[in-house]
Amino acid sequence: MEKTRIPNAETGQTSGLRARLGRIKVRGYYWPVRTIVQLGFFVLFSGIGIMSLVPAFNGTRSWVVLPIVSSVKSQAQVTSTMDAITLFLENGLFPWLPIGIMFVVGAILGRFMCGWICPVGFLQDVITSVKGRVDSVEKRAHLQWIRLKYYLVVFAFLISGSLGLAVFYGVGNDYRTSLGPLADGLFVAITPDGTLFGTLPAILAGSWRFLGTAQSSDLTFGNLSSWFGHISALTWLNVVVLVGFVYAAWRIPRFWCRYVCPVGAIMAVTQKNSLLGMHRDPIKCSECKECETACPMQIPILDLDWKKFNDSECILCMACIDACPAGALSPKFP
């Protein structure tokens, strides 16, 4: 008589557990990786400005330029392409290299560097994280304010371009003198990051050296008033701009990137046709709008083409991917 084999109950339970574990998908998030990358580049580009407080420190600048906001006033090792362009024009030279870098990077990565590498972008993200929520702006006002950065870029190039032509034809010396600090460029003369990582550390370094050698008799009201009097009006203006930058970033996520940044305005032109973009799976998407709520640039994601969207304001920070509960969003290249 043939015996029927009864399956082991324990084996059946183990197989069922393995099957359930096999169906569990471990989801990865972009924000931890992006934060580490941003912090690393922040230290590389701008954090070294703190070292200027040390009297023996002598920072050396590289000739690498990238489409980010990194002022020539700071001790950063890498300069913004916008600053490089205006400095080239000031000397009557056409800025082939920085313009080429902007368009090549933009054609491949779009505004990826705005979301992952730019130190000013990182500062704004930190402020928003401390606040704890991503606020939005009324749609009509948001669309109107976006135009501001394009007007500022046109104004900056009118100044630097006209000076460049004047210098090229040998009649620019008087014009350069009349422009004063603006001869270096609008966003070189007035910049929050240059103040934070260049001007303020230099002022603090000078005051620390004075306090380290000063006698008690030197610390008079007259001497202190004279010291403050030597600080230029442009420096005070930049301090006001820096305070305004922090306040605006607290009120509106990525305020500088949305409405002011000249680099973002130029890169927005290439973002529309960049190889790197975003994809939305219409089958998985339930149109819950969690992605739009999390977007720091307030992009109407659900109104864009699901196959591949390259909105000009998208900084490819991947916050929408992390926020989507269904995993319907993903990067798309090309």
Side-chain angles (χ1 to χ4, degrees), residues 291-312:
C291 55
E292 293 185 355
T293 302
C295 179
M297 299 296 286
Q298 200 172 324
I299 296 171
I301 297 172
L302 298 180
D303 296 336
L304 304 177
D305 185 8
W306 58 269
K307 295 178 182 178
K308 183 179 181 180
F309 58 90
N310 293 74
D311 189 89
S312 59

Side-chain angles (χ1 to χ4, degrees), residues 162-189:
S162 59
L163 175 59
L165 287 173
V167 172
F168 180 78
Y169 287 106
V171 292
N173 290 332
D174 292 339
Y175 186 27
R176 182 192 284 113
T177 303
S178 64
L179 286 174
L182 292 179
D184 293 336
L186 176 63
F187 288 95
V188 173

Side-chain angles (χ1 to χ4, degrees), residues 189-191 195 231-244:
I190 304 174
T191 169
T195 305
I231 300 176
S232 67
L234 182 63
T235 299
W236 287 116
L237 174 61
N238 273 292
V239 171
V240 172
V241 170
L242 176 60
V243 173

Side-chain angles (χ1 to χ4, degrees), residues 37-107:
V37 172
Q38 284 181 300
L39 180 59
F41 280 105
F42 178 81
V43 173
L44 175 64
F45 293 159
S46 303
I48 198 171
I50 305 300
M51 293 299 295
S52 63
L53 298 175
V54 180
F57 177 75
N58 183 20
T60 56
R61 182 180 301 279
S62 72
W63 287 99
V64 178
V65 292
L66 291 175
I68 56 173
V69 178
S70 183
S71 175
V72 294
K73 287 184 177 180
S74 70
Q75 292 289 342
Q77 297 299 290
V78 177
T79 301
S80 167
T81 47
M82 186 66 186
D83 286 9
I85 288 173
T86 56
L87 290 175
F88 267 97
L89 292 174
E90 181 189 5
N91 293 282
L93 302 172
F94 191 82
W96 293 106
L97 178 61
I99 289 178
I101 289 174
M102 294 186 82
F103 280 102
V104 170
V105 172

Side-chain angles (χ1 to χ4, degrees), residues 257-277:
C257 303
R258 291 188 188 195
Y259 308 130
V260 182
C261 182
V263 179
I266 297 173
M267 298 303 290
V269 178
T270 61
Q271 169 65 30
K272 289 185 177 181
N273 298 296
S274 66
L275 295 179
L276 180 61

